[in-house]
């Protein structure tokens, strides 16, 4: 049973499964009192200290609310992030997803700083931004939101308005609006302006992000060294297309010495 669950976990999209697992474990540890939330929340004060606590720029997106919010936030995080990571033509590479997360996260923090809102964790803003980005390409389709079927592109709006059903929901709306603005800015700069305004995509994935995300060619392992071919499809690195033998002979397998 445990092996089946582990196999299912490793078959999930790597970015989505990693961030969701880290979020669930960290949030559970904080809400159970095993870890102090003060080490993970965001505040400019900690960034100006020496040494600066720069990990807060990441961990402030990895803490959910308590109770059922932990379950729903983790679910929506995986749901929308996996849709971006698999089969989405706007994000054909993992580096594109990572760059999107970097831009959206930085924009949310900048908006929060400029407007001077009292938020210290931003996972719900990030989830709202991903929902907006995913559903913009699903116009004309239907989506189910809390047992209600609505047009897919209205899902982010429904996620914002549902906060009015809970006490203090107007504060949560402000947080999600930060994600809404950040996602709309990304959509404008990366899609609307290049396609309809005649401009260029100023948010193309930088080369350093690609180098950071791509699998290294040489992998040191405990049982040896694995070398990833530069072009496995063409076989240029493995020597499959070289040698004096005709192509038809190369498909016959390994030869056996007779005698």
């Amino acid at each position: 049973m445990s092996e089946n669950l582990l196999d299912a976990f490793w078959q999930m999209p790597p970015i989505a499964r990693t961030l969701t697992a880290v979020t669930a474990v960290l949030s559970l540890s904080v809400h159970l009192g095993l870890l102090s939330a003060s080490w993970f929340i965001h505040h400019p004060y900690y960034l100006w200290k020496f040494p600066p606590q720069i990990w807060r720029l990441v961990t402030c997106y990895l803490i959910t609310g308590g109770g059922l919010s932990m379950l729903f936030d983790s679910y929506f995080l995986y749901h929308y992030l996996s849709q971006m990571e698999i089969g989405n033509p706007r994000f054909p590479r993992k580096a594109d997803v990572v760059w999107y997360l970097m831009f959206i996260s930085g924009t949310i923090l900048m908006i929060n700083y400029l407007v001077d809102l009292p938020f210290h964790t931003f996972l719900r803003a990030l989830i709202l931004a991903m929902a907006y980005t995913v559903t913009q390409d699903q116009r004309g389709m239907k989506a189910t939101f809390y047992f209600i079927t609505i047009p897919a592109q209205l899902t982010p709006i429904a996620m914002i308005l549902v906060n009015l059903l809970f006490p203090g929901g107007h504060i949560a709306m402000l947080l999600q609006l930060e994600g809404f603005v950040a996602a709309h800015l990304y959509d404008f700069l990366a899609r609307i302006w290049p396609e309809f305004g005649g401009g260029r995509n100023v948010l193309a994935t930088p080369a350093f992000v690609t180098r950071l995300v791509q699998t290294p060619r040489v992998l040191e392992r405990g049982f040896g060294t694995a070398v990833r071919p530069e072009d496995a499809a063409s076989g240029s690195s493995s020597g499959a297309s070289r040698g004096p033998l005709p192509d038809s002979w190369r498909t016959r397998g390994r030869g056996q010495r007779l005698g």
Side-chain angles (χ1 to χ4, degrees), residues 36-108:
S36 175
S38 61
W39 281 97
F40 307 106
I41 62 175
H42 174 269
H43 195 283
Y45 168 77
Y46 297 107
L47 299 178
W48 291 105
K49 292 182 62 176
F50 185 81
Q53 301 178 6
I54 59 176
W55 67 82
R56 296 177 183 271
L57 297 174
V58 177
T59 56
C60 65
Y61 287 97
L62 302 177
I63 300 179
T64 68
L68 289 177
S69 296
M70 186 183 307
L71 178 63
F72 285 111
D73 289 346
S74 299
Y75 167 76
F76 284 124
L77 174 64
Y78 177 81
H79 177 70
Y80 290 114
L81 190 52
S82 61
Q83 290 189 54
M84 294 177 60
E85 193 174 355
I86 293 183
N88 194 318
R90 295 185 63 184
F91 305 96
R93 305 174 303 165
K94 292 179 175 58
D96 300 324
V97 179
V98 172
W99 173 241
Y100 169 87
L101 295 175
M102 293 172 64
F103 176 83
I104 292 296
S105 300
T107 304
I108 291 173

Side-chain angles (χ1 to χ4, degrees), residues 14-36:
I15 299 177
R17 76 176 181 229
T18 301
L19 289 184
T20 304
V22 172
T23 298
V25 172
L26 181 59
S27 300
L28 186 62
S29 301
V30 168
H31 291 298
L32 291 179
L34 302 178
L35 296 173
S36 175

